[in-house]
Amino acid sequence: MRYSGLIEKYRDRLPVSADTPVISLGEGNTPLIELRNLPRILGVDAQLFVKFEGLNPTGSFKDRGMTMAVTKAVEGGAKAIICASTGNTSASAAAYAARANIGCFVLIPEGKIALGKLAQAMMHGSTVIQIQGNFDDGMRLVQELAQDLPLSLVNSVNPYRLQGQKTIAFEIIEALGDAPDYHVLPVGNAGNISGHWMGYSESVCLQTEACGLCQGACPYHPAKARASKRPVMVGNQAAGAAPFLRGEMVKHPETIATAIRIGHPMSWNLAWAAVRESGGWFNECSDAEILAAQALLAKHEGVFCEPSSATGFAGLIQDFKAGRIRSGSTVVITLTGHGLKDPDTAIAQSSKPHVVAAERGAIADLISRHL
Ligand code: AN7
């Protein structure tokens, strides 16, 4: 059967009815790619998989939540949506609003969003409002505006966003046959880690501590249970924007990973619950570590994610070095957005192209020096 998006696939586990007008671009169903080279290069004894969310319709994981948020907005009669964004939410909101034929207003921090994301928000016809402030200022403003104006707020404070985002856990469990031992991802506004945890939690029996042992035989076991356990959740932040590490909000977040340049995460409590209940932790990564992790994935696995997305992998490298990952474990890393979103950062950290005469000899010379 033709795949037609995550709402159709998981409608029995999402808050939709037969009459709900589904707004979809075929999101979800992203590949779970096993890393072939990096475990050896890094010298780690573990099975590593990346869930490449950059292959969603607008190039980031945001489409999972946006299909639900826009679908429910349309069902409720909304004529326009609004969000604050570091870039990917605005790109996704703009695309789904275009699809739904409703208006879209996006607030973005002036000069601090990656080029591809700005291009998307503009091209899909949203009203792009650059504010002279950061994401956290924008978040506060859209919450106020949505109270007074006929606008549906589609940031992840909208509960339908997390409903959509939880489906990533369903897909991973289907692909692996069970939950992984560890799940590693970047954290900004903290909706995604909360959505992951919701999805994993809905997939196990939470009534018995020995869930893995009940095998579906206990009287509390939910019909939809599909995994024997939940993973240890590890959240990773950029060092200049790491409120979870600091234990308090960060006033002036700063990092090259602009998607996670967030100091005041909305899903603070949910994210802490995910990490505490799973026995997990948070890491912080320097910009240099983030860019190095991005380059490792691109150069050794052929997987091009944006800097924010590589933050999960950067944190995992720290965890392996510190011996925090049990050997022989299965680890899933969510790569939240595509590398093409931020061409400026990619080009700035790569070696420049060679310039030679359009002449066979000169090119052959160059090739022989590199073979
Ligand atoms: C590539 O677009 O917040 O912790 O406004 O774009 O769920 O916020 C983006 C966040 C990670 C962090 N990776 O996820 C926005 C926005 C990428 C992102 C995150 C974002 P959350």
Side-chain angles (χ1 to χ4, degrees):
M1 214 176 67
R2 188 172 73 93
Y3 181 82
S4 52
L6 59 85
I7 295 181
E8 287 307 336
K9 172 139 193 217
Y10 297 111
R11 57 167 52 247
D12 61 333
R13 290 185 259 177
L14 291 168
V16 291
S17 74
D19 299 329
T20 305
V22 175
I23 308 296
S24 171
L25 289 164
E27 57 294 312
N29 197 26
T30 55
L32 186 68
I33 304 167
E34 180 166 8
L35 299 186
R36 305 170 59 115
N37 302 315
L38 286 173
R40 173 176 42 79
I41 290 167
L42 298 172
V44 302
D45 169 28
Q47 225 184 345
L48 307 184
F49 295 90
V50 293
K51 181 72 168 158
F52 193 16
E53 292 287 280
L55 295 182
N56 274 295
T58 77
S60 87
F61 74 97
K62 302 286 182 183
D63 296 341
R64 288 184 189 273
M66 204 55 72
T67 184
M68 273 303 300
V70 173
T71 290
K72 295 303 279 189
V74 169
E75 184 173 50
K79 294 282 174 281
I81 58 174
I82 189 168
C83 65
S85 182
T86 56
N88 279 325
T89 300
S90 65
S92 186
Y96 282 82
R99 181 89 168 155
N101 203 20
I102 59 175
C104 180
F105 299 87
V106 305
L107 268 69
I108 54 173
E110 189 181 22
K112 291 291 185 179
I113 86 166
L115 196 65
K117 305 173 190 180
L118 182 61
Q120 289 176 290
M122 293 168 71
M123 193 67 193
H124 289 302
S126 67
T127 303
V128 179
I129 304 165
Q130 300 211 42
I131 60 164
Q132 293 163 334
N134 62 26
F135 170 83
D136 303 302
D137 299 320
M139 194 61 236
R140 179 176 44 78
L141 288 163
V142 293
Q143 285 178 294
E144 289 173 19
L145 289 161
Q147 284 196 343
D148 301 337
L149 299 170
L151 298 167
S152 176
L153 180 61
V154 297
N155 281 105
S156 56
V157 290
N158 177 329
Y160 297 120
R161 280 279 308 277
L162 298 199
Q163 287 291 325
Q165 281 170 214
K166 75 183 181 185
T167 59
I168 189 170
F170 301 163
E171 291 178 12
I172 291 164
I173 290 166
E174 275 167 37
L176 296 178
D178 202 344
D181 298 313
Y182 298 87
H183 194 119
V184 174
L185 77 169
V187 172
N189 209 23
N192 205 22
I193 190 170
S194 308
H196 277 68
W197 190 238
M198 186 188 292
Y200 281 123
S201 297
E202 288 181 11
S203 303
V204 295
C205 175
L206 293 175
Q207 297 300 325
T208 158
E209 272 183 41
C211 170
L213 302 177
C214 89
Q215 301 286 331
C218 91
Y220 311 106
H221 202 87
K224 300 288 187 294
R226 285 151 166 99
S228 70
K229 61 177 185 232
R230 294 183 289 178
V232 172
M233 299 298 297
V234 185
N236 298 277
Q237 302 211 280
F244 287 101
L245 273 294
R246 301 284 177 274
E248 60 181 12
M249 303 306 173
V250 172
K251 266 219 169 64
H252 302 291
E254 208 47 81
T255 168
I256 196 163
T258 51
I260 52 173
R261 187 172 168 272
I262 295 172
H264 198 302
M266 287 291 116
S267 297
W268 178 261
N269 292 331
L270 287 174
W272 271 118
V275 162
R276 287 210 176 104
E277 286 174 32
S278 72
W281 58 87
F282 289 104
N283 294 312
E284 60 179 301
C285 309
S286 68
D287 283 358
E289 288 175 304
I290 291 170
L291 294 179
Q294 184 194 19
L296 281 174
L297 288 164
K299 291 188 197 330
H300 298 292
E301 300 288 355
V303 176
F304 185 21
C305 68
E306 63 173 291
S308 306
S309 304
T311 306
F313 190 57
L316 182 65
I317 294 172
Q318 288 183 10
D319 288 332
F320 275 119
K321 283 187 183 150
R324 282 191 284 266
I325 306 290
R326 282 186 311 276
S327 64
S329 297
T330 301
V331 184
V332 172
I333 306 145
T334 305
L335 298 182
T336 45
H338 203 289
L340 290 172
K341 293 270 192 176
D342 191 354
D344 296 320
T345 306
I347 289 171
Q349 69 158 319
S350 301
S351 47
K352 301 283 164 283
H354 305 274
V355 180
V356 294
E359 180 199 300
R360 181 188 165 131
I363 298 167
D365 259 9
L366 190 137
I367 291 172
S368 63
R369 274 184 273 124
H370 285 83
L371 262 179

